[in-house]
Amino acid sequence: MKTVLVIGGGITGLSAMYYLQKENRERQLGLRLVLVEANDYLGGKIHTVTKDDLLMETGADSIVARNKNVLPFVKELNLEEEIVYNATGTSYIHTQNKLLEIPKDSIFGIPMTLEALFTSELLSTRGKLEALKDLFRTKSSFTRESSIGEFLEYYLGKEIVEKQIAPVLAGVYSGNIYSLTMGSTLPYLLEYKEKYGSIIRGLGKNKESFQSAANKKFISFKDGLSTIIDRLEKVLEDVSIRKGIAVTRINKEADQYKVQLSNGEEEVADMVVLSTPHNVTQHILRKDELNPVFSKLKNSSNITLYLSYDISDDELPKDGTGFIVAGDSDIVCNACTWTSRKWKHTSKNNQLLLRLFYKKTNPAYERLNSLTEEELIQEARKDIERSLGITSKPKSYEVTKWTNAMPVYSLEHKQAVEQLSQDLALLYPNVHLAGCSYYGVGIAACIANGEETAKKILHSIE
């Protein structure tokens, strides 16, 4: 009997186990399946907290619905009746000490029409005219490994990137857009530029597909995103799940691996999946020759903070779902989601629920990270007062710090992952890397990576 050991009980590790169990049953492979998770709960960055009839997501808050693997996976787990979709509305940028609307016909702040460009409140006339160079400027040297920031600035100009696009993209991808690749962000822009001769024209030609997807772009569940984690834990009946136990080291012995656990025990495995953050994986392997490659993989940090208020939704700007903060703002946070409006299921008694984000790229981050929870709440209250004019005392709050836990796909990322995979194949045959540190940060990408990892393992035993 061969043993497959998955280290890390986030969505990738759980998905890998789901597909391994499925094939193990159908093909009667006789695999012994073991999953080890350092935390006392499964889910990793997916974790729902319930407080005062409110649902608060300490990490990820939704799944992108349009990815082709998502709804079939949810259906297999019999969770279709639990699905909720996001409400849509206006998004804002807080700039010049006021909220200005991001043009509706835009994607990540990039205009999809000339009308969206010229009606933007965020740009000067000069900035709008500069963006028109996209209609005639050409350059063939940009690739999927090029900087998304350099690409957009070259074709659309510095002002629109700084004032309208960068705040949105940096908020989504947790990094400096000049250090993020096209491939890890918006690879389809390369195709549009080549096919239509213009980014704006290309987006406009495909506007209908973006808009139809936007109405039901994200999904969660009635009782929060942890629903999918709880269901996976329930259906993994053939898996030995060991929570609250960390892996301290992996030693190769002949064709197997002795996996040392923090409780002093040992697991012997034929195949291992390392679905852990890359810095944790590096510590587990403790292989000096891998350190230079691991050092090229980058993480970031952030603080997420919820505030709830016993006030009417009417106090928010009409039809809004949140704002992103520009560099010229007097607001300290990087973004604020109006959660109870975007996700109606999160506030059962119609309380106002707001979520603020403070990222490591924020100049004030180190100071904020040193504050107590009570001091952080005071900072957040100042941001809410300056942006929304709400001076009431919050009814409740929830603070979560993610320290060096958010992957950043830098320009070196793809090459580093490829090199690391090659090195592991030589040093640790049948040990597989998996998870958002390497193969995609969205939940849908993690589910797909879990399935792909299971396929690799199954292929190796055929």
Side-chain angles (χ1 to χ4, degrees):
M1 178 185 292
K2 291 186 179 294
T3 295
V4 181
L5 177 71
V6 170
I7 304 171
I11 186 65
T12 307
L14 291 169
S15 300
M17 272 305 185
Y18 174 82
Y19 289 108
L20 284 170
Q21 175 180 273
K22 184 178 179 180
E23 291 297 311
N24 195 34
R25 287 177 172 178
E26 291 179 0
R27 294 159 58 182
Q28 297 183 338
L29 298 173
L31 295 175
R32 175 174 173 260
L33 304 176
V34 181
L35 184 144
V36 180
E37 166 56 46
N39 288 322
D40 293 327
Y41 60 89
L42 301 176
K45 298 183 187 72
I46 299 175
H47 188 59
T48 307
V49 172
T50 303
K51 183 185 292 186
D52 298 332
D53 292 322
L54 300 167
L55 294 178
M56 294 175 276
E57 306 289 356
T58 62
D61 71 350
S62 60
I63 309 172
V64 179
R66 67 172 178 263
N67 288 351
K68 62 182 182 181
N69 64 315
V70 169
L71 293 179
F73 188 65
V74 170
K75 184 177 181 179
E76 276 194 51
L77 294 174
N78 294 314
L79 290 175
E80 286 177 289
E81 297 300 316
E82 301 301 313
I83 290 177
V84 292
Y85 288 92
N86 65 295
T88 58
T90 303
S91 296
Y92 296 88
I93 289 180
H94 193 272
T95 180
Q96 304 167 37
N97 298 328
K98 55 187 175 182
L99 292 173
L100 296 179
E101 183 177 332
I102 300 173
K104 287 184 173 63
D105 278 347
S106 65
I107 181 79
F108 297 108
I110 308 168
M112 293 193 281
T113 64
L114 292 179
E115 182 181 4
L117 171 64
F118 280 97
T119 56
S120 174
E121 300 177 304
L122 294 158
L123 306 174
S124 68
T125 301
R126 181 176 180 178
K128 295 171 183 177
L129 293 173
E130 185 185 20
L132 292 178
K133 64 185 179 182
D134 165 59
L135 300 176
F136 58 83
R137 176 172 272 193
T138 61
K139 185 178 181 181
S140 60
S141 60
F142 286 109
T143 69
R144 288 175 61 92
E145 305 314 309
S146 299
S147 158
I148 179 69
E150 291 177 5
F151 174 86
L152 291 169
E153 185 175 319
Y154 181 81
Y155 290 118
L156 294 169
K158 193 175 184 67
E159 183 178 332
I160 191 172
V161 171
E162 285 187 350
K163 293 185 176 180
Q164 187 166 301
I165 301 173
V168 183
L169 276 179
V172 172
Y173 292 100
S174 297
N176 184 320
I177 67 167
Y178 291 93
S179 300
L180 297 172
T181 65
M182 294 289 298
S184 65
T185 51
L186 310 177
Y188 52 83
L189 294 185
L190 281 167
E191 177 191 337
Y192 290 171
K193 183 63 184 177
E194 182 177 347
K195 184 175 181 179
Y196 302 104
S198 158
I199 299 168
I200 297 173
R201 190 180 296 123
L203 289 171
K205 292 287 186 180
N206 294 274
K207 183 172 73 168
E208 187 175 331
S209 63
F210 283 108
Q211 290 178 332
S212 62
N215 289 333
K216 289 190 173 181
K217 186 176 181 181
F218 302 103
I219 65 169
S220 184
F221 303 97
K222 294 174 183 176
D223 292 323
L225 209 55
S226 282
T227 298
I228 195 169
I229 303 300
D230 296 340
R231 180 59 56 88
L232 280 165
E233 183 174 8
K234 182 178 180 180
V235 301
L236 292 178
E237 297 172 336
D238 302 347
V239 180
S240 172
I241 298 176
R242 309 190 66 182
K243 293 182 282 188
I245 301 172
V247 171
T248 58
R249 188 158 193 167
I250 294 176
N251 295 308
K252 186 176 185 299
E253 293 194 8
D255 293 331
Q256 292 184 309
Y257 294 94
K258 288 191 174 181
V259 180
Q260 306 295 326
L261 306 180
S262 58
N263 63 356
E265 296 180 11
E266 181 180 87
E267 284 280 358
V268 178
D270 299 278
M271 288 150 283
V272 177
V273 176
L274 285 159
S275 181
T276 45
H278 65 80
N279 50 313
V280 176
T281 299
Q282 182 180 7
H283 176 73
I284 290 172
L285 294 176
R286 302 187 196 184
K287 206 73 170 175
D288 290 343
E289 52 263 57
L290 296 177
N291 291 342
V293 187
F294 271 118
S295 68
K296 294 180 181 180
L297 301 176
K298 305 300 180 185
N299 276 341
S300 188
S301 306
N302 70 35
I303 302 167
T304 64
L305 189 152
Y306 279 98
L307 298 177
S308 72
Y309 294 88
D310 241 345
I311 61 176
S312 168
D313 184 70
D314 294 339
E315 298 213 21
L316 296 179
K318 185 179 179 181
D319 296 329
T321 56
F323 64 82
I324 297 165
V325 178
D328 64 357
S329 172
D330 64 348
I331 302 298
V332 179
C333 72
N334 293 91
C336 176
T337 299
W338 305 338
T339 301
S340 52
R341 183 177 285 185
K342 185 176 181 180
W343 297 102
K344 298 294 186 183
H345 71 290
T346 62
S347 181
K348 293 179 171 44
N349 294 319
N350 297 316
Q351 294 180 57
L352 176 62
L353 183 62
L354 306 175
R355 188 183 193 189
L356 294 88
F357 300 84
Y358 299 86
K359 299 178 180 291
K360 193 174 182 178
T361 52
N362 191 319
Y365 181 81
E366 294 304 323
R367 176 181 66 82
L368 294 168
N369 198 40
S370 68
L371 300 179
T372 64
E373 283 197 356
E374 290 73 18
E375 290 169 334
L376 274 170
I377 298 306
Q378 292 307 311
E379 290 283 348
R381 289 185 64 184
K382 291 176 187 176
D383 283 345
I384 296 304
E385 182 174 352
R386 289 169 182 160
S387 59
L388 300 175
I390 296 172
T391 58
S392 307
K393 184 178 180 180
K395 183 178 179 181
S396 63
Y397 65 86
E398 182 72 23
V399 178
T400 306
K401 293 184 178 182
W402 294 102
T403 303
N404 292 324
M406 316 304 291
V408 176
Y409 286 12
S410 68
L411 298 178
E412 296 181 301
H413 182 84
K414 182 181 178 183
Q415 184 180 6
V417 171
E418 289 174 351
Q419 184 63 56
L420 196 53
S421 297
Q422 292 172 15
D423 292 344
L424 274 182
L426 293 173
L427 296 169
Y428 297 96
N430 292 318
V431 172
H432 303 271
L433 296 176
C436 61
S437 273
Y438 315 100
Y439 300 113
V441 295
I443 294 174
C446 289
I447 294 169
N449 181 226
E451 182 177 12
E452 181 61 30
T453 302
K455 287 179 179 178
K456 288 180 183 177
I457 291 170
L458 294 166
H459 179 72
S460 70
I461 62 175
E462 288 177 347

